[in-house]
Amino acid sequence: MQIKETTNEGLKRAYTVTIPAKEIDERVNSEVKKIAPQVKMPGFRPGKVPANLVRKMHGEQLHAQTLNDMIRESVDKVMADNKLRPAMQPSVELDEGYEEGKDASLSVELEILPEIDAPEVDGLALERLTVPVTDEQVDEAVERIASNNKSYKDAAKTKKAADGDQLIIDFVGRVDGTEFEGGKAENTPLTIGSGQFIPGFEEQLTGVKTGDKKTITVTFPEDYPAENLKGKEAEFDVTVQQVKVPTDTKIDDEFAKNLGLEGLDKLKELLRGQLEQETSGLTRTQMKRQLLDTLAAGHDFAVPQGMVDAEFEQIWAQLQQEAARSDDAETMLKEMEDEKDDYRKIAERRVRLGLLLSEIGQKNGVEVNANEMNMLIQQAAQQYRAEDRERFIQYVQQEPMAAAQLRAPLYEDKVVDFLFDKAEITDREVTREELEAAIEAEETTEEKPKKKAAAKKKPAAKKAPAKKADDKDGDEKPAAKKAPAKKTAAKKPAAEKADDKPAAKKPAAKKAPAKKAAPKK
């Protein structure tokens, strides 16, 4: 086997490998001898089939398998002899003119990981912004839950329904005079102003009283999920069985018990925990951005362009999906094109930070242990159908690159936690708004395209599980229900997260896997 280096520029390497025809033939003959005892052929006793007949029967298959094995071994030898650390799977091409009986000539191209001087981690200084959860915030969260779990009482028969009132109605819908499937229901609760039904339905019931009958005309939206109703005008005959008005919800132990909890104190305890979890997540994001900005500022080394390309493709695909879901896809796509170079810089920054974190982790013995890796594999396998899970698990166990990609996010988090433990951290109490503003400010304009900062809203506390009312399930009246509104995606999500998502690809994969193909991620 002859190996010749043809390219050595920056991180790019290329080699030609020649496997002599004689070596290939000798290996094929060896394989023939191995399988000959198991070959059966009419006229010969088991194990007595001549080698030349075995080769005639199975030679083509044995030659192909042998050649693949020798190509894999050749690539491994190139990596070992030259002490290469491939950034991604190498590209391996067999010359087009190869025929059995000739020398096999291979072209091997790859990019290697850069040599990085991992920084000393002692003396790193970070500021941790913390947001204390106050009793007032917990009380506000309780009140939000109470407002979202209103109870209603029957109103006087003369009461005209207004926004916030609940109606109990029967309805029958018709398109072109014909009833349609899903357009009929009885004793259906509907809160006016809730947006529960298609546009125009609720508004036309404002002012009705108990016992009223009314025919309303509405038009189904163009994006309605039922094909036979999209854009169609429909008439609904509505009978108002009852008008109900909301009652004041008393926040006490009984209220909490109706939510399935032991009492009000338990509800407040759960909500406080949720609020603390939310703010601690923001605190970690703020600290991580500080950390990554510090690392990025002190290191500027060449990175493999193949990794940058792969990272950029992921960012670009995400942006295209977001644009497709937006109300003005054409404008958003144009803005993306105008800022394409900026997104490539983001991809390069992610790759550089990922490689740096990987180097720090390896130098300091950070690793993902076997139990953690098994848990990652099992969690990932749940995304597949039950019959495909075992095959996925085997694939990850057999493919070093696939395992490394699965391992990377957890590995990065463990390196970040290691650096947090080493850092000198100063705590400072701030409001939630100040913390969110600090996170926004740390998104440096150098690494992300300029954009208008969207006003951030406080996320409401998660609802405690509410008991089901004795209303009918929404699925029983799909035609009268409003189709889910398309959300306008937040602009440039990949850019927003650029600073806290390094692309540490394959942190532990130092050795090139013995595979001919080089799929992109």
Side-chain angles (χ1 to χ4, degrees), residues 264-280:
L264 185 58
D265 288 343
K266 186 63 176 178
L267 174 60
K268 289 184 175 182
E269 179 187 332
L270 289 175
L271 291 174
R272 183 179 293 277
Q274 289 177 359
L275 292 170
E276 288 173 345
Q277 187 174 13
E278 288 174 8
T279 56
S280 65

Side-chain angles (χ1 to χ4, degrees), residues 374 377-378 390 392-400 402-403:
N374 286 335
I377 295 173
Q378 293 298 332
E390 187 59 36
F392 169 78
I393 292 171
Q394 291 175 358
Y395 168 72
V396 174
Q397 291 172 340
Q398 294 169 4
E399 292 288 342

Side-chain angles (χ1 to χ4, degrees), residues 397-423:
Q397 291 172 340
Q398 294 169 4
E399 292 288 342
M401 290 296 189
Q405 187 178 23
L406 192 61
R407 182 192 301 112
L410 177 59
Y411 184 81
E412 288 169 0
D413 279 342
K414 294 189 76 167
V415 175
V416 168
D417 287 336
F418 166 78
L419 291 173
F420 284 167
D421 290 340
K422 287 286 185 178

Side-chain angles (χ1 to χ4, degrees), residues 289 293 315 319 335-336 338-350 436-454 456 490-500:
R289 286 190 175 165
D293 280 344
I315 293 173
L319 289 170
E335 291 179 356
M336 285 165 49
D338 292 341
E339 296 169 342
K340 201 166 188 175
D341 289 343
D342 293 317
Y343 288 116
R344 182 164 287 280
K345 289 177 182 176
I346 290 171
E348 184 173 327
R349 172 183 162 94
R350 287 187 182 182
E436 289 173 341
I439 293 172
E440 184 74 19
E442 285 167 3
E443 293 174 357
T444 59
T445 56
E446 195 175 355
E447 281 84 19
K448 68 188 282 283
K450 293 179 181 178
K451 68 182 185 70
K452 293 179 181 178
K456 297 192 177 184
K491 204 172 180 184
K492 306 175 190 62
E496 284 197 26
K497 298 177 182 177
D499 292 345
D500 60 2

Side-chain angles (χ1 to χ4, degrees), residues 316-331:
W316 200 248
Q318 181 183 354
L319 289 170
Q320 287 177 319
Q321 290 173 5
E322 296 286 353
R325 292 196 295 267
S326 72
D327 292 334
D328 192 354
E330 186 176 347
T331 299

Side-chain angles (χ1 to χ4, degrees), residues 7-35:
T7 300
N8 188 332
E9 299 174 358
L11 301 176
K12 292 183 178 180
R13 300 289 184 272
Y15 301 85
T16 57
V17 180
T18 303
I19 307 174
K22 182 180 178 182
E23 292 184 14
I24 299 172
D25 191 61
E26 288 174 352
R27 181 77 71 88
V28 172
N29 287 333
S30 177
E31 292 300 315
V32 168
K33 290 178 181 179
K34 285 182 183 178
I35 70 168

